[in-house]
Amino acid sequence: MRVPAEVLVATGVFGASVKEQLRHARGEYVLIVDGATAPGRWFEALWEQRLTAGLIIGTRADPDAREAGDGPVRRFALRMYRRLLSLPVLPDASVILARCAALGTLPEADDRFEWLLEAIVLAHSDGWPVRTLNGMSAGRPQTIRLQPAALWRLWVLRNSAFSADYDERAFNSVVPLQRYWQRTRHRIIHGWVDPETRILDVGCGSSRIVQDLPRAVGLDVQMKKLRRISPRTQKVVQATLTQLPFRCGAFETLICSQVIEHVPEPLVDWCEMNRVLSLGGIFVVGTPDYATVAWPALERVYGIVHPKGYVHEHINQYTAASLRHALESHGFEVITSAYVGRAELIIKARKVAPCANK
């Protein structure tokens, strides 16, 4: 039988103590406190907010007052770590209320501050909202210390291509080429679709493409990506390319951007995408063009600069000719095409016939 919440009291080595207790926790939520703290009325404030986030960071800090020991150096360090790791909240906690599901991957760190940073990174990267609740009268301020190797480990973890907000962050990247790439793709696709039609974005990830289309349905196999975009997307569905859970002709527009190169060729089900699109409907599909000079060169450089990125996930190498052939062989007529950086191909097609093989 699951209980609503359990209290985990960290004693000794913080990370090891919490990890051991989490393994045996039966509650849907856990309250993590240090050994000098006992739940009080402040817990009610945390509990009332439990449905708003996967991780709630309760801090003694008062926005209008300064705690003893909360000097300018400490505040600067907290802001620095937040910026370096692109955290959604300031990493300053005296107590933590967490859904057990949001701590599905347990932090490895033992140090209290490093454990907190890793818990925030893991929960946020898994698509769970993380928020702060100020004015807690419990717990004690944490000591801020982090070894360079630990910071590097957390930075790599935070910037993994498998983080729930990877696509969304790329749109606002500080790297000019990445920002240009994402925004050019966004501009082309949005220029080709009618936002008032019934739209399905297959393999939507956490991109701004689906989030900026108010009537679009986002479909992806990764729940963490869907969890991330669900507050800003009309409807999200977890499914695969081979089994789209919609009736025939349910959509007037279909988007499949940067997906088919990640899927084994037998599982790229063109007929299934044809099936859910109405006759005359628009299909926008994008993928790297491996027949260009630019894309293979960019891919090699990207693999060196960002070894945790998507490069090694590209298992289907399409060209303009092979993509056009795949579309025309499955009931689509190519209308026009465009490139991002002379490397990424985006095709706009129209469904002119049902797929003969379905």
Side-chain angles (χ1 to χ4, degrees):
M1 176 180 176
R2 293 180 67 84
V3 295
E6 290 188 32
V7 179
L8 306 187
V9 181
T11 57
V13 178
F14 185 90
S17 175
V18 171
K19 185 184 295 186
E20 180 61 26
Q21 293 181 71
L22 278 171
R23 287 197 180 102
H24 302 289
R26 296 179 298 112
E28 184 178 354
Y29 296 86
V30 289
L31 176 68
I32 303 172
V33 298
D34 61 43
T37 305
R41 293 189 61 184
W42 52 266
F43 175 68
E44 296 177 8
L46 279 174
W47 188 248
E48 287 176 357
Q49 301 298 319
R50 67 189 183 281
L51 299 180
T52 65
L55 204 64
I56 302 179
I57 309 300
T59 174
R60 292 180 65 92
D62 186 334
D64 300 318
R66 297 300 179 195
E67 291 282 331
D70 187 28
V73 174
R74 185 175 188 276
R75 294 196 299 274
F76 173 79
L78 289 171
R79 293 190 182 102
M80 180 190 70
Y81 286 125
R82 179 180 183 179
R83 184 171 182 83
L84 286 174
L85 296 174
S86 302
L87 302 179
V89 297
L90 208 64
D92 186 18
S94 53
V95 294
I96 301 167
L97 180 65
R99 293 174 186 253
C100 285
L103 292 177
T105 302
L106 297 178
E108 299 175 1
D110 283 328
D111 175 77
R112 184 183 180 206
F113 181 61
E114 186 182 343
W115 188 95
L116 173 64
L117 289 174
E118 189 173 358
I120 295 173
V121 167
L122 289 171
H124 191 62
S125 296
D126 206 31
W128 292 99
V130 179
R131 60 166 301 192
T132 296
L133 195 61
N134 294 316
M136 294 290 99
S137 60
R140 54 184 171 83
Q142 58 200 352
T143 302
I144 298 175
R145 61 174 182 268
L146 193 67
Q147 296 298 321
L151 178 60
W152 173 250
R153 180 180 71 86
L154 292 174
W155 187 90
V156 171
L157 182 64
R158 179 69 184 95
N159 288 279
S160 166
F162 300 100
S163 178
D165 65 341
Y166 178 84
D167 308 302
E168 187 177 351
R169 288 177 63 209
F171 188 85
N172 297 309
S173 174
V174 296
V175 180
L177 180 60
Q178 189 176 37
R179 186 171 62 250
Y180 154 79
W181 212 275
Q182 292 284 332
R183 295 189 177 202
T184 302
R185 179 192 301 151
H186 183 280
R187 175 177 54 79
I188 292 171
I189 293 176
H190 273 247
W192 284 353
V193 303
D194 180 353
E196 297 303 316
T197 58
R198 301 188 303 277
I199 302 172
L200 174 64
D201 189 338
V202 176
C204 60
S206 63
S207 80
R208 285 284 298 275
I209 292 172
V210 67
Q211 294 183 65
D212 292 340
L213 291 168
R215 297 189 60 186
V217 174
L219 181 144
D220 204 281
V221 70
Q222 296 187 63
M223 179 53 70
K224 62 183 176 182
K225 302 273 187 177
L226 300 177
R227 190 183 295 125
R228 172 70 187 178
I229 67 170
S230 60
R232 297 172 296 279
T233 306
Q234 183 191 50
K235 183 179 180 181
V236 296
V237 177
Q238 185 179 28
T240 66
L241 276 174
T242 57
Q243 291 183 317
L244 299 178
F246 306 105
R247 61 177 173 80
C248 296
F251 297 96
E252 300 165 287
T253 303
L254 193 66
I255 299 171
C256 186
S257 175
Q258 302 303 294
V259 176
I260 57 176
E261 66 273 16
H262 298 274
V263 182
E265 189 171 4
L267 300 181
V268 179
D269 198 332
W270 298 103
C271 286
E272 182 68 351
M273 290 187 279
N274 176 299
R275 180 186 68 79
V276 300
L277 189 63
S278 61
L279 190 63
I282 297 299
F283 184 21
V284 178
V285 57
T287 188
D289 184 348
Y290 280 87
T292 63
V293 174
W295 181 260
L298 281 170
E299 191 170 70
R300 282 194 294 272
V301 172
Y302 185 69
I304 295 171
V305 174
H306 198 341
K308 295 288 185 177
Y310 277 134
V311 169
H312 302 297
E313 300 295 314
H314 289 183
I315 56 179
N316 259 341
Q317 298 187 355
Y318 286 90
T319 66
S322 66
L323 182 56
R324 177 183 284 268
H325 175 74
L327 289 167
E328 293 177 344
S329 300
H330 294 91
F332 298 103
E333 173 189 61
V334 174
I335 300 173
T336 188
S337 64
Y339 278 90
V340 180
R342 299 184 179 182
E344 178 185 319
L345 173 64
I346 305 176
I347 287 181
K348 179 182 181 180
R350 179 186 294 111
K351 176 179 173 178
V352 294
C355 185
N357 301 325
K358 197 70 174 179

